[in-house]
Amino acid sequence: MSINFVTDKVIVKVDGRVARVELNRPESLNAMDVDMIKGLVCRLKEIGEADDVDIVVISGRGKAFSAGGDIKTMLSNSDQSAFYPVMDCISELVFTLYSLPKLTISAITGAAAGLGFSLALATDYIIADKNSKLAMNFIGIGLIPDGGAHFFLEKRLGETKAKQVIWDGKMLTSEEALSMGLIQEVGDGDLEEAVHKKVTDWLSRPVQAMIKTKKILAEKNRPQLLKLLELEKYGQQKMRETQDHQEGIKAFIEKRKPNFIGK
């Protein structure tokens, strides 16, 4: 992917040693379409090469962090030849973010659902507003999590609890997510203040030693993450071919409860 991909769906502002990356599709609750995904990859790679930046904060403009993958994109890419390149973009985004040689924070307001939640889980530290809602809710439309969610959930929760979160697909409060170990902090009061406090703390530490630890663990986990991203890619296409997925999408559009049949 060209590092010169330009889109206004991702906004980057650098202040000293901190880069703020903002998802900018507030009218769709920052649902991620292909342009946004490509824009994130390119901006993160640029930041990764910036020697003067040590910390990256990711947030969403408007009322939500990200409602997930764009439903219209899913509906328009019904065949494999169109779908696989989208999944490859998602995989590149997740791997780029997870292995970024910077300290990364997700600042969550509103919803972080589906692929949006996967994106947050790929960062080093998640701070959620006390009124935010988090969900790994792919199951609701007959799909499996993607964006490396199998990897991140298993790492944070262990296999048994990870399966439960995936299969339940429930919307979690920030306090519930914190008690489970899915996020590290609930911003009690002003989220921006909580983010500023964490950033200030990190800036006072030997950041390069922290980043080296991150690099070592990311390199150790590289084969497993890449393998799971590949399994999610082909597994998701299989799920898209099921009757249950078609029913899930139809029910979502018609705003009714789906009638799944296990096919």
Side-chain angles (χ1 to χ4, degrees):
M1 184 186 300
S2 170
I3 200 165
N4 296 317
F5 184 84
V6 176
T7 177
D8 61 1
K9 296 175 183 178
V10 178
I11 298 172
V12 175
K13 295 178 180 177
V14 178
D15 181 11
R17 294 160 60 195
V18 182
R20 299 292 301 246
V21 178
E22 188 175 51
L23 312 185
N24 185 35
R25 292 188 73 207
E27 72 286 351
S28 62
L29 298 179
N30 297 314
M32 286 187 270
D33 61 6
V34 175
D35 283 353
M36 179 182 278
I37 293 167
K38 287 182 176 179
L40 280 167
V41 171
C42 292
R43 299 291 83 79
L44 288 172
K45 286 186 174 181
E46 289 173 353
I47 292 168
E49 295 174 0
D51 292 337
D52 52 343
V53 172
D54 290 325
I55 298 174
V56 180
V57 179
I58 300 178
S59 60
R61 173 163 290 194
K63 296 179 179 179
F65 180 78
S66 173
D70 189 88
I71 289 286
K72 291 178 182 177
T73 299
M74 282 195 276
L75 294 176
S76 64
N77 293 326
S78 56
D79 63 290
Q80 291 183 17
S81 62
F83 178 69
Y84 284 155
V86 175
M87 292 298 287
D88 287 339
C89 286
I90 292 171
S91 296
E92 186 174 9
L93 167 59
V94 169
F95 187 77
T96 299
L97 179 55
Y98 175 68
S99 58
L100 196 71
K102 313 291 177 185
L103 303 181
T104 56
I105 297 173
S106 288
I108 295 177
T109 54
L115 182 59
F117 195 11
S118 297
L119 182 76
L121 290 170
T123 59
D124 300 315
Y125 197 92
I126 302 175
I127 306 176
D129 180 81
K130 63 180 179 180
N131 297 317
S132 60
K133 302 291 185 182
L134 305 99
M136 194 54 66
N137 55 350
F138 293 86
I139 197 80
I141 52 173
L143 293 178
I144 59 170
D146 53 31
H150 289 89
F151 172 85
F152 298 119
L153 290 174
E154 194 272 336
K155 284 287 184 187
R156 288 179 184 244
L157 303 178
E159 183 178 330
T160 301
K161 288 183 179 178
K163 285 189 290 189
Q164 204 62 53
V165 167
I166 291 167
W167 292 345
D168 286 348
K170 291 194 298 189
M171 189 72 75
L172 303 169
T173 66
S174 53
E175 290 291 350
E176 287 172 332
L178 178 66
S179 67
M180 295 172 68
L182 283 170
I183 68 175
Q184 283 94 336
E185 186 179 340
V186 175
D188 189 16
D190 185 356
L191 178 68
E192 192 57 39
E193 186 178 319
V195 172
H196 177 72
K197 185 177 179 181
K198 174 53 64 175
V199 168
T200 301
D201 174 50
W202 276 359
L203 288 175
S204 71
R205 295 171 178 267
V207 171
Q208 292 311 313
M210 296 167 72
I211 291 173
K212 178 57 71 175
T213 288
K214 174 177 179 173
K215 285 181 177 180
I216 289 170
L217 292 173
E219 188 60 30
K220 167 192 169 278
N221 293 324
R222 174 190 176 100
Q224 184 187 11
L225 175 55
L226 291 175
K227 179 65 175 178
L228 284 173
L229 286 167
E230 196 76 356
L231 290 170
E232 288 177 348
K233 170 183 172 179
Y234 292 108
Q236 198 70 294
Q237 177 58 34
K238 287 293 183 184
M239 294 306 98
R240 285 159 55 88
E241 296 167 2
T242 63
Q243 294 177 49
D244 278 348
H245 173 59
Q246 301 308 317
E247 165 62 11
I249 288 291
K250 190 175 179 185
F252 177 84
I253 293 171
E254 296 173 1
K255 297 181 179 177
R256 61 173 173 82
K257 186 177 180 179
N259 179 29
F260 294 130
I261 60 172
K263 300 290 184 184

